[in-house]
Amino acid sequence: LLADAQQRGHQRVLTFGFAGSNFAAATALNAHKLGMRSISMLLPQANAAYLRENLLISLASQAQCHQASNEILLGLKTLGITLTLSLRGQRPYWIPAGGSSPLGLLGFVNAALELKQQIDSGATPRPDVIYLAMGSMGTAAGLVIGLQACELSIPVHAVRVVPERYGNQPALDKLIRKTSRFIRQHDPGFPDTATANQLCQIRDEFFGDGYGVFSAAGNAATELTHRQADIELDGTYSAKAMAALIHDAHSDQLAGKHVMFWNTHNSRDTSSLVHDVDYRALPSSFHPYFSAPANR
């Protein structure tokens, strides 16, 4: 996505998410490495320690962070910023939340191809089922497209962690069809994967009380996974996906199966990037995240 922005002559990128968006922080960090400026348009969410770190990563990467209380106000603010910059000849390249566009999905299409290589080489057994967290739907959509292209009919349980208006079956189906057309426009030899949605089952029952609100089942999954496998999860995304897996295991739905958990939680230690960053350089609307209690 950043390469596409550069090729099109943009020096700024603009993306969307909730206040603690991992994707917004990653966009800011990597855009900065390429000499580009990033703008994050963010909605409020429940407070958490990772949220603070992601905001500080964006600040350290010289990103502009803006927050609005609802989607309408955020949209108006986005249009205002875009118009102002465009009049200066600095129109930003828009990146959808999570990078979930046909171009952005190619990363997870490639991930499925890599999984196929690992299965063929004997590095991992062929999974009978895959569990992952679903936010902006790009992970799930890209993965099932790649699986179908590889003729791996592996069911994917996509555990919804965002409000249903952001992640739902019709929207997922549309994203898969749109991405499949995009790939075949550039490579007609690529298999037709417009029906890859048949591999994906959206799981709604672990969403809990809202986006970013840690759930009891998710917290239990985080503790168990850390204790048994020394794997870290995050309460917003991966913990809820693991909670679904654990629930299904306890109900004997997974007996005798090879189960793959696709951990989308960032495993990189980013503390060195933010240890001397002062949150007060952020707009004042973000300051309460650093003074109010936060989930960990």
Side-chain angles (χ1 to χ4, degrees):
L1 290 165
L2 294 175
D4 188 50
Q6 285 187 316
Q7 287 183 342
R8 295 174 185 272
H10 295 270
Q11 294 301 313
R12 296 175 185 266
V13 294
L14 183 150
T15 194
F16 307 86
F18 288 94
S21 169
N22 289 303
F23 182 77
T27 301
L29 178 63
N30 289 287
H32 182 62
K33 289 179 179 179
L34 295 173
M36 306 172 72
R37 299 295 296 272
S38 181
I39 304 168
S40 298
M41 307 303 299
L42 306 171
L43 290 167
Q45 70 167 84
N47 201 9
Y50 79 85
L51 181 157
R52 297 173 176 175
E53 186 155 328
N54 281 344
L55 284 174
L56 294 179
I57 289 172
S58 294
L59 182 59
S61 302
Q62 300 180 16
Q64 296 178 23
C65 296
H66 302 272
Q67 183 174 236
S69 59
N70 58 61
E71 296 170 23
I72 294 175
L73 292 177
L74 190 71
L76 292 173
K77 183 175 286 191
T78 301
L79 292 175
I81 290 171
T82 300
L83 178 60
T84 299
L85 290 172
S86 297
L87 291 173
R88 298 175 185 169
Q90 302 172 0
R91 183 171 66 86
Y93 177 96
W94 281 24
I95 298 175
S100 293
S101 67
L103 180 61
L105 262 63
L106 296 184
F108 260 95
V109 174
N110 279 336
L113 305 185
E114 182 180 347
L115 174 60
K116 177 66 161 60
Q117 291 177 335
Q118 292 174 343
I119 294 169
D120 290 346
S121 69
T124 187
R126 182 189 185 280
D128 296 304
V129 60
I130 297 173
Y131 287 77
L132 51 79
M134 188 190 79
S136 59
M137 304 182 295
T139 300
L143 191 61
V144 295
I145 288 171
L147 290 174
Q148 188 172 82
C150 293
E151 298 183 344
L152 289 174
S153 297
I154 302 172
V156 173
H157 288 244
V159 182
R160 179 172 63 83
V161 302
V162 295
E164 192 170 8
R165 65 183 180 277
Y166 297 129
N168 56 73
Q169 195 66 54
L172 178 66
D173 296 350
K174 181 179 179 180
L175 182 59
I176 289 172
R177 291 194 302 269
K178 187 175 181 180
T179 303
S180 299
R181 288 196 301 268
F182 173 80
I183 296 174
R184 284 172 60 80
Q185 285 170 359
H186 290 80
D187 181 4
F190 191 85
D192 185 356
T193 56
T195 60
N197 60 312
Q198 297 173 5
L199 295 177
C200 189
Q201 177 185 353
I202 296 178
R203 300 286 296 273
D204 297 315
E205 65 268 40
F206 296 90
F207 177 58
D209 293 330
Y211 178 83
V213 179
F214 290 17
S215 66
N219 290 340
T222 297
E223 193 279 330
L224 179 65
T225 307
H226 176 73
R227 175 162 44 87
Q228 296 285 359
D230 196 27
I231 292 173
E232 299 297 328
L233 305 177
D234 73 284
T236 299
Y237 282 82
S238 54
K240 294 181 178 180
M242 180 60 80
L245 188 159
I246 292 171
H247 170 273
D248 291 355
H250 284 164
S251 59
D252 292 330
Q253 298 179 43
L254 304 178
K257 293 183 177 180
H258 290 294
V259 181
M260 174 169 284
F261 177 70
W262 203 291
N263 189 5
T264 56
H265 180 50
N266 172 41
S267 61
R268 296 288 295 275
D269 182 4
T270 56
S271 58
S272 62
L273 301 174
V274 302
H275 72 278
D276 60 351
V277 180
D278 187 351
Y279 75 87
R280 286 167 291 192
L282 287 164
S284 59
S285 64
F286 293 104
H287 294 183
Y289 292 119
F290 294 87
S291 57
N295 284 313
R296 293 185 177 274

